[in-house]
Amino acid sequence: MFTDKESFKQAYLMKLIAGEGITADEATPWDKFVALVMLLKEKMSYYRAINKNSISQGKQIYYFSMEFLIGKLLHNYLVNFKIEDLVREGLADLDIKLEDLLEQEADPGLGNGGLGRLAACFLDSMAFLGIDGHGNGIRYKYGLFEQKIVSGNQVEIADNWLKNGYPWEMRKMDKAVIVKFKGTVRHELKDGRVVFVHENYEPVLAVPYDVPIMSYDNPSYINNLRLWSAETTCSELDLACFNRGEFNQATSFRSEVEAISYILYPDDSSRAGRELRLRQEYFFVAAGLGTIVRSYKKKNGLSSLHNFSRRVSVHINDTHPVLCIPELMRILIDEEGMGWDEAWNITVNTMSFTNHTIMPEAMEKWPIDMVKTLLPRIYMIIEEIDRRFKEDLAARFMDHEEVVQNTHILKDGYVWMANLAIVGSSSVNGVAQLHTKILKNEVFKDYFRVFGYKFNNKTNGVNHRRFLLAANPKLSHLITEAVGPNWKEDAGELKKLQAFKDDQSFLEQLAKVKYENKCRLAERVTSGYGIVLDPQSIFDVQVKRIHAYKRQLLNVLKIMHLYNKCLNEPDRLTGSQTFIFGGKAAPGYHYAKTVIKLINCLSKKIEQDPRVREKLKIVFIENFNVSQGELIYPAADISEQISTASKEASGTGNMKFMMNGALTLGTLDGANVEIREAVGEDNVFIFGLTAEQVLDYTRHGGYKPWDEYHNHPELRTCVDQLNGGFFDNMGEEFRTLYDSLMIYNDEFFILKDFPSYIQTHEKLQSLYLNPKEWNKHSLLNIAGSGIFSSDRTIREYADWIWKVRYRTVNSISSI
Ligand SMILES: *Cc1c(COP(=O)(O)O)cnc(C)c1O
């Protein structure tokens, strides 16, 4: 990499002139951004080339995910290459501001939220640890919609992230693959063996675009994120149609094919029951496995597929890529001529599966008819997997009818994807201890009896180099001054910060950093929305997808309660508070959109009321994405993690907040449980029902929201305010929310948890008035956040699931 400013400047100018054919004066900010990206890519290719010989003969890991929420890359790569300052200064000499170039980059919205962001964090950690670990996904032409707020309502705008091009990607036409849909399957006898021939299918050309993944201080490991784009196989066909004047037919064929990689489904909770989604799933699975087998054979020789599972691991991130299992079976049997038993052995040993949800309505399933028509050969294989599995079970669990009944892959006219995943993988993991326990004891309890040895936990983590080192430079600097720089490679080193917990001058510096980060966010909010935030007030933040189980509504009811208190007992409300919300609602999710409207209406009501606006303020930040997160997490005082216990599998926002010194106000759900373990009870603020209590109510009933309503007058006031009068001209707008609580029995126990939530929040409120104490808690949270680095998570996957070696960093202590 560059070692001095002058050589950088020279190379950069060359790139700008040679690449864009223009002088520095003529170049637009976009040109200048592209030139810098090209320069870095060239350096990476160079590293990759000189390391060709040393590329580990080790195992290749392929992480299949329908979503990768990678965020912007340029800034992180400058940090990873350790050249940020040098580049900034070099550009300044040329009268270019690095910040202006960073602004140019699109933030690819190729994911909905936590699941896609997890996949991106894992890519970074695999590269950092020197694991040959590659992503495999879809290059959606349109990412998740861009969110605007218009008169308090969410409005969705197409996210045309590719409109200027995406300079990080490289189109690899020579690695294109044909994926086959529909058609018929014929079997014939060949050399005494039945072979299956797939005919009359609709071919789709899958073209890969590769994005380099480069992690901190490990230039020899540049991994690959391969994103597939759908194209028609032959333009001649189109042309022929055009020539015959069949214009519509030609373009409709083209758009039908291209629709496959056209758009990301903006819903991560309920399955969009649409054939296109199934097409997307098979598309990137078949394309990915196609190139994996091809490159494996090139490297290892044609006849060595017997060892495939020793050299290749395929990881299935949630159920969307589960068709990997029948597809690998198809390749091994139909294309490689292998027998069923050997193919099955290899397949199971190659595949591992992560489950992300426990909500039964979110379990992915596909109508058998649809699978049969769209993927005739794949369906045959699924049927055979199901048949053999049942046969095996019937013998082993003769006396346990329920086990046999509850574990079918084909049931009630559907293919159950999680069931296929469990049967066809060697490992099934949950994403936090509590979540894994619920999988074993509730959701998959019958599978747990059959395949106990497959189930394991791998608690999620986040890329601390993105969300702390790069996103919070001031805090990073302070940490490095205190404990040295090794925490960047080994997040466990953050523990050493504990030594400063009573060091008043250090704690004051910590508070100053937080204050400055709050100012940074406040400036953006002011320039974006014209809203002035007071950085002296406490920043109480909930940013994540809007969903009933995440309970943004509980947070709003709390603020309504504070509003009422402010009017009725103004003296009891001390200090001023800023509530920050952000998050997208799925476009068809009426409840979630109403919650957004409610937040904005309350914000306006407060703003217009001189009696309260000095004490309370609400902002809803539009279009929450990775880049916004990088600005918001470092500026938070309170991290709201208030999902109904048992519903949030892990959460990762909670980890990003904690790492940046926010105190968690949360339920005992997902990884909050482990955050409490890591920092001790005194340093987290827990309230509400436990998962066990929630599951108990769900099983036996007995929850009566009306009891809570009648027993708590302040709560009753707030709930009634939802229902009319309080918000001007709002008519029936919030009726949905009121009804969800009072008519549909408050499925997420908002009323039940309200009193303890208010109490715990008050505790935090008064703690904030004692900065000494507050700062100590904040420091201990940062110090305890090391185990939530995705480096730790990936080491566990490598040790226990993929069985692959990784590099050890000198300073890695055991965490
Ligand atoms: C981390 C992250 C999430 C996940 O947040 P949770 O609080 O765990 O739901 C969602 N979206 C973005 C952009 C993120 O960075």
Side-chain angles (χ1 to χ4, degrees):
M1 224 357 102
F2 303 103
T3 46
D4 67 283
K5 194 171 77 173
E6 292 308 317
S7 67
F8 162 74
K9 270 160 62 181
Q10 223 168 29
Y12 178 73
L13 278 178
M14 279 295 290
K15 200 84 231 160
L16 196 58
I17 295 162
E20 313 294 318
I22 38 180
T23 66
D25 298 337
E26 293 166 341
T28 63
W30 173 259
D31 298 331
K32 294 172 191 169
F33 159 69
V34 172
L36 186 52
V37 170
M38 290 303 166
L39 189 59
L40 288 183
K41 265 171 69 176
E42 198 175 280
K43 286 281 171 191
M44 289 184 206
S45 302
Y46 171 73
Y47 279 124
R48 193 182 267 170
I50 57 170
N51 283 299
K52 260 247 152 74
N53 299 332
S54 66
I55 274 187
S56 102
Q57 287 302 305
K59 205 171 182 182
Q60 303 288 314
I61 313 301
Y62 297 96
Y63 196 84
F64 277 57
S65 178
M66 194 94 167
E67 303 186 5
F68 286 93
L69 205 50
I70 57 179
K72 297 187 181 195
L73 299 181
L74 180 56
H75 181 236
N76 275 260
Y77 286 179
L78 294 175
V79 171
N80 289 347
F81 277 134
K82 300 183 182 169
I83 54 169
E84 184 186 1
D85 291 340
L86 181 157
V87 166
R88 180 178 280 109
E89 287 160 23
L91 289 174
D93 287 357
L94 304 171
D95 248 351
I96 301 171
K97 268 170 73 180
L98 174 59
E99 269 58 34
D100 293 343
L101 305 200
L102 298 178
E103 287 243 317
Q104 294 294 313
E105 185 169 359
D107 185 338
L110 309 185
N112 275 294
L115 176 137
R117 185 52 233 173
L118 184 76
C121 287
F122 282 4
L123 291 181
D124 177 273
S125 287
M126 286 192 283
F128 174 71
L129 292 167
I131 294 171
D132 288 336
H134 310 286
N136 190 74
I138 298 177
R139 180 179 178 269
Y140 303 101
K141 186 163 179 224
Y142 291 94
L144 185 60
F145 63 88
E146 214 177 290
Q147 179 195 55
K148 285 246 181 298
I149 302 296
V150 179
S151 334
N153 297 301
Q154 166 174 297
V155 174
E156 300 100 27
I157 297 168
D159 171 34
N160 191 5
W161 69 290
L162 286 168
K163 65 177 179 292
N164 297 325
Y166 185 58
W168 291 110
E169 69 183 6
M170 284 163 287
R171 181 178 162 96
K172 292 280 174 65
M173 200 54 199
D174 59 319
K175 302 249 162 54
V177 174
I178 289 182
V179 179
K180 303 170 181 174
F181 292 98
K182 299 195 172 168
T184 49
V185 179
R186 181 170 59 78
H187 57 272
E188 60 183 33
L189 221 55
K190 202 171 151 196
D191 306 328
R193 176 169 184 275
V194 183
V195 294
F196 294 87
V197 186
H198 189 182
E199 297 173 322
N200 308 314
Y201 52 80
E202 294 172 5
V204 172
L205 188 68
V207 181
Y209 287 74
D210 290 355
V211 178
I213 302 297
M214 191 269 153
S215 184
Y216 187 76
D217 197 29
N218 193 12
S220 58
Y221 271 88
I222 293 148
N223 285 337
N224 206 9
L225 167 58
R226 179 157 285 177
L227 299 173
W228 295 94
S229 180
E231 300 183 7
T232 52
T233 43
C234 51
S235 46
E236 294 84 354
L237 188 108
D238 289 354
L239 205 59
C241 279
F242 272 120
N243 293 344
R244 287 198 303 274
E246 294 162 4
F247 179 79
N248 279 339
Q249 197 178 322
T251 47
S252 80
F253 175 64
R254 157 150 275 163
S255 52
E256 199 182 306
V257 167
E258 287 172 358
I260 293 174
S261 55
Y262 202 67
I263 196 160
L264 167 81
Y265 274 90
D267 194 335
D268 55 1
S269 54
S270 67
R271 297 274 74 87
R274 305 247 299 277
E275 189 192 278
L276 184 57
R277 172 120 179 169
L278 185 58
R279 268 184 201 258
Q280 290 185 326
E281 294 184 359
Y282 183 66
F283 170 73
F284 89 105
V285 157
L289 281 176
T291 46
I292 289 167
V293 171
R294 195 154 78 189
S295 84
Y296 176 88
K297 282 162 76 172
K298 209 162 126 194
K299 224 196 272 171
N300 299 284
L302 294 177
S303 59
S304 63
L305 276 155
H306 309 289
N307 290 323
F308 190 77
S309 63
R310 251 178 269 162
R311 308 235 168 101
V312 172
S313 275
V314 170
H315 200 87
I316 299 171
N317 189 32
D318 210 347
T319 50
H320 322 126
V322 164
L323 293 173
C324 275
I325 292 163
E327 174 64 9
L328 185 56
M329 287 297 284
R330 188 194 67 75
I331 294 174
L332 294 176
I333 293 171
D334 293 0
E335 294 179 11
E336 304 298 330
M338 217 176 254
W340 181 278
D341 290 334
E342 186 182 10
W344 183 245
N345 248 328
I346 291 174
T347 298
V348 172
N349 286 320
T350 301
M351 302 293 163
S352 45
F353 165 58
T354 297
N355 172 286
H356 285 268
T357 182
I358 58 164
M359 294 205 266
E361 68 272 22
M363 288 289 167
E364 192 177 15
K365 58 178 200 259
W366 291 104
I368 286 178
D369 288 348
M370 193 192 282
V371 182
K372 223 181 208 167
T373 314
L374 191 66
L375 308 165
R377 179 61 184 137
I378 291 298
Y379 182 72
M380 290 170 71
I381 292 171
I382 295 173
E383 230 175 6
E384 183 62 11
I385 293 172
D386 187 52
R387 191 190 67 77
R388 289 182 182 236
F389 175 63
K390 273 190 219 152
E391 204 175 88
D392 182 44
L393 267 196
R396 286 172 57 204
F397 288 84
M398 233 179 306
D399 306 328
H400 303 281
E401 186 58 22
E402 76 289 356
V403 173
V404 181
Q405 282 307 316
N406 294 335
T407 55
H408 293 177
I409 297 167
L410 302 176
K411 201 170 47 179
D412 311 330
Y414 290 96
V415 180
W416 292 80
M417 303 297 262
N419 299 15
L420 180 56
I422 296 170
V423 173
S425 310
S426 52
S427 163
V428 178
N429 76 282
V431 290
Q433 283 167 13
L434 174 66
H435 172 234
T436 301
K437 197 167 107 187
I438 295 172
L439 291 184
K440 290 179 183 176
N441 300 339
E442 309 279 332
V443 185
F444 296 130
K445 66 173 190 290
D446 293 302
Y447 274 114
F448 185 56
R449 291 175 66 178
V450 182
F451 295 127
Y453 59 93
K454 292 189 184 184
F455 285 79
N456 64 91
N457 178 59
K458 299 287 165 280
T459 299
N460 281 168
V462 299
N463 177 3
H464 73 285
R465 287 172 294 272
R466 174 177 284 268
F467 289 104
L468 175 52
L469 177 60
N472 196 343
K474 289 188 168 132
L475 179 56
S476 299
H477 186 73
L478 185 63
I479 294 172
T480 301
E481 275 191 345
V483 301
N486 290 343
W487 64 274
K488 300 170 190 175
E489 284 154 332
D490 172 9
E493 292 269 307
L494 291 169
K495 261 206 185 116
K496 293 186 176 162
L497 287 170
Q498 281 172 353
F500 295 83
K501 72 181 165 58
D502 297 311
D503 181 333
Q504 281 319 313
S505 107
F506 187 83
L507 292 179
E508 275 164 30
Q509 290 178 68
L510 183 67
K512 183 159 168 280
V513 165
K514 180 62 79 182
Y515 181 76
E516 287 167 355
N517 288 332
K518 287 163 79 173
C519 291
R520 180 175 76 162
L521 176 62
E523 274 163 31
R524 288 289 189 94
V525 169
T526 305
S527 69
Y529 315 109
I531 298 174
V532 180
L533 301 189
D534 173 11
Q536 305 274 6
S537 69
I538 187 166
F539 279 19
D540 182 328
V541 187
Q542 188 173 23
V543 287
K544 48 182 74 230
R545 286 298 289 259
I546 313 292
H547 208 292
Y549 84 84
K550 289 177 183 281
R551 298 202 295 191
Q552 280 91 357
L553 180 56
L554 175 59
N555 194 346
V556 179
L557 288 172
K558 172 190 75 188
I559 304 169
M560 289 168 70
H561 166 71
L562 291 171
Y563 179 99
N564 296 335
K565 201 161 135 181
C566 203
L567 295 190
N568 302 332
E569 322 164 71
D571 302 334
R572 278 196 51 215
L573 206 61
T574 43
S576 81
Q577 312 183 43
T578 301
F579 298 94
I580 297 170
F581 289 88
K584 297 177 186 177
Y589 191 176
H590 178 64
Y591 175 101
K593 290 180 124 174
T594 309
V595 169
I596 292 179
K597 181 73 187 248
L598 177 65
I599 294 168
N600 288 309
C601 282
L602 185 58
S603 167
K604 200 165 137 203
K605 188 166 174 73
I606 289 173
E607 202 53 40
Q608 290 170 343
D609 192 335
R611 297 167 301 175
V612 281
R613 68 173 168 228
E614 299 304 316
K615 292 220 162 142
L616 304 175
K617 182 171 298 253
I618 301 180
V619 268
F620 189 97
I621 296 184
E622 283 175 332
N623 201 41
F624 179 62
N625 60 11
V626 177
S627 300
Q628 301 270 24
E630 288 162 4
L631 200 64
I632 296 170
Y633 295 120
D637 295 308
I638 296 181
S639 157
E640 298 268 356
Q641 306 301 334
I642 58 176
S643 54
T644 310
S646 81
K647 303 290 182 196
E648 185 79 87
S650 161
T652 47
N654 47 4
M655 302 167 185
K656 299 172 207 165
F657 277 112
M658 157 199 210
M659 216 164 246
N660 283 285
L663 308 194
T664 304
L665 169 56
T667 47
L668 279 179
D669 200 15
N672 296 352
V673 177
E674 287 154 80
I675 290 179
R676 182 175 71 160
E677 247 166 58
V679 298
E681 274 177 51
D682 297 343
N683 295 298
V684 282
F685 299 83
I686 299 293
F687 70 92
L689 294 174
T690 62
E692 230 157 87
Q693 290 169 323
V694 169
L695 292 171
D696 235 42
Y697 273 127
T698 316
R699 241 176 271 140
H700 308 297
Y703 172 50
K704 297 199 187 75
W706 285 103
D707 288 352
E708 310 305 317
Y709 176 90
H710 289 301
N711 289 340
H712 303 279
E714 330 88 65
L715 168 62
R716 178 178 176 165
T717 308
C718 299
V719 172
D720 285 344
Q721 283 169 338
L722 279 181
N723 206 11
F726 182 69
F727 295 102
D728 309 331
N729 309 319
M730 285 316 296
E732 291 281 280
E733 188 110 19
F734 302 125
R735 185 81 205 196
T736 315
L737 304 178
Y738 177 87
D739 286 355
S740 75
L741 299 174
M742 305 317 302
I743 309 285
Y744 298 104
N745 216 49
D746 186 16
E747 187 185 348
F748 296 100
F749 302 93
I750 287 177
L751 271 54
K752 184 81 191 167
D753 280 351
F754 180 86
S756 65
Y757 179 50
I758 296 295
Q759 250 179 26
T760 314
H761 180 260
E762 270 170 15
K763 215 162 90 186
L764 268 169
Q765 199 50 43
S766 42
L767 187 67
Y768 193 70
L769 301 177
N770 179 354
K772 262 191 196 163
E773 273 304 303
W774 183 279
N775 297 335
K776 182 168 156 180
H777 287 300
S778 171
L779 179 81
L780 289 173
N781 269 274
I782 304 167
S785 68
I787 59 166
F788 299 109
S789 164
S790 48
D791 293 349
R792 186 272 307 150
T793 314
I794 287 298
R795 284 198 295 268
E796 292 179 2
Y797 275 84
D799 284 335
W800 301 103
I801 299 180
W802 304 328
K803 316 259 189 332
V804 65
R805 292 162 62 85
Y806 46 86
R807 101 185 153 122
T808 48
V809 178
N810 330 343
S811 60
I812 282 190
S813 59
S814 52
I815 50 173

